[in-house]
Amino acid sequence: MNKNHVVIGDLIFDKFIYGNANRISAEAPTLVLDVEKEIHMIGGAYNVAAHLASLEHGCVFLSTVGQDFNKVIIGFQDKFDPAITGNIITEDDRATSVKTRLISEYKNTHLLRYDTETIQDITEETVNSIVSYVESIEHIDDILLIDYKKGVITKDLATKIIDIANKRNIPVYVDTKKDDLQIFRGCTVIKPNKFEFEKIKLRYAPDSNMEDACKIICDTLNIHQIVITAGSEGIYAYNNDDGLTHTAAEIVEIKELSGAGDSVLAVLSYCVSEGHSFINSIKWANRLAAKFVSSGIQYRAKKEDLFK
């Protein structure tokens, strides 16, 4: 049977504007970017779904946008993967999330990012629509909750989805910017980056080392595994059977970091659903993250880059 993943989370549209910045404006003491190219990508939670679809697994994507959606997607239409099914719900009082980055071609230097968005919890009606959609899916291999704190992953939604998953014995992977993990109690995997983990640790186990903190967090919240992405340090992973393990980062020339964590979670979900061990899945996720940061924002996970 073909695998089927359900990805729920914040939908973000990413614009990357590249150019040369080698002069100062006569109007203000600021750099002038001479634009050479503009790249549009669909990011946020959709990035995880896109990696899974690129790995030829079935993927359902659920999220929300604002009434400005039809205007925002101009230039993005061809970025939607037709293999990804699901539902994107429009809310009246919401602005669709758009991140625009101005980048100098010289050493890929980010000069400025500006965002247009509404950060507020989705409505009860939207929560119920997403929950009903998940309940209607006959076969689910896992559920991934991707929380950029834009309002899709609310307490009500997270608790209802995790309850459904636990009753059906479906693993739940969580990537969140929140340091309070109470709403994710009972999930299978939580995947913060190292900076986010330090904030979580400060809340739950401030005087503990990394391994002890992981154990305390898992025991306190009934979480099975913690995966900590640490950039140039690689990936730390914890479960009660293996304790804390470390996979060193592969040395590559970095072109783009934004979205690397999404690739890790997607590959981890993919490999575990294919029957690989947790530890081996972490190793392949680490390999794919290196491929992502060295290839740039347009790279999508490929099987040939994993199992070689």
Side-chain angles (χ1 to χ4, degrees), residues 39-275:
I39 296 174
H40 291 185
M41 298 293 295
I42 306 176
Y46 192 88
N47 198 31
V48 177
H51 282 299
L52 287 165
S54 183
L55 289 165
E56 301 175 20
H57 272 197
C59 190
V60 174
F61 179 72
L62 301 168
S63 188
T64 62
V65 291
Q67 286 285 3
D68 58 347
F69 178 61
N70 288 335
K71 179 180 179 181
V72 168
I73 64 168
I74 296 173
F76 289 93
Q77 293 95 327
D78 62 339
K79 303 302 179 182
F80 285 96
D81 191 325
I84 298 173
T85 60
N87 190 25
I88 298 175
I89 300 167
T90 300
E91 289 193 345
D92 292 340
D93 297 324
R94 178 177 292 275
T96 305
S97 291
V98 181
K99 295 181 181 180
T100 302
R101 299 167 178 85
L102 304 181
I103 305 171
S104 170
E105 294 278 15
Y106 179 70
K107 294 188 176 180
N108 209 51
T109 304
H110 284 226
L111 305 177
L112 177 71
R113 192 187 91 190
Y114 63 91
D115 301 347
T116 57
E117 60 189 3
T118 299
I119 301 175
Q120 64 185 31
D121 286 354
I122 56 175
T123 65
E124 182 180 357
E125 181 181 1
T126 300
V127 169
N128 292 336
S129 295
I130 292 174
V131 170
S132 296
Y133 199 108
V134 173
E135 289 178 322
S136 71
I137 303 173
E138 184 176 347
H139 173 74
I140 301 174
D141 284 279
D142 55 41
I143 299 173
L144 299 93
L145 303 179
I146 315 301
D147 179 23
Y148 280 82
K149 293 177 69 175
K150 307 298 183 186
V152 173
I153 307 300
T154 64
K155 177 181 179 181
D156 190 26
L157 179 65
T159 53
K160 285 179 177 178
I161 293 296
I162 292 172
D163 183 58
I164 292 168
N166 288 340
K167 287 177 180 177
R168 293 174 59 177
N169 199 29
I170 299 169
V172 178
Y173 296 78
V174 173
D175 191 351
T176 180
K177 303 295 183 185
K178 295 182 176 73
D179 60 313
D180 185 351
L181 304 181
Q182 288 291 338
I183 70 171
F184 303 113
R185 178 181 292 274
C187 74
T188 310
V189 178
I190 191 93
K191 191 215 72 63
N193 62 34
K194 191 176 181 183
F195 175 74
E196 293 160 351
F197 177 77
E198 289 300 325
K199 293 194 294 183
I200 295 168
K201 177 177 173 290
L202 188 63
R203 176 180 288 272
Y204 291 97
D207 300 321
S208 303
N209 60 34
M210 181 181 284
E211 182 164 9
D212 290 343
C214 286
K215 178 172 175 51
I216 291 169
I217 294 165
C218 286
D219 291 347
T220 301
L221 299 173
N222 190 28
I223 294 172
H224 299 183
Q225 294 143 348
I226 297 178
V227 176
I228 304 164
T229 52
S232 60
E233 294 179 37
I235 298 176
Y236 297 91
Y238 175 87
N239 62 42
N240 285 328
D241 292 332
D242 302 298
L244 185 69
T245 61
H246 176 238
T247 303
E250 296 185 12
I251 300 174
V252 294
E253 181 181 352
I254 296 174
K255 291 186 177 179
E256 179 61 48
L257 290 173
S258 177
D262 295 331
S263 69
V264 168
L265 196 66
V267 172
L268 179 61
S269 159
Y270 168 84
C271 290
V272 171
S273 72
E274 287 284 344

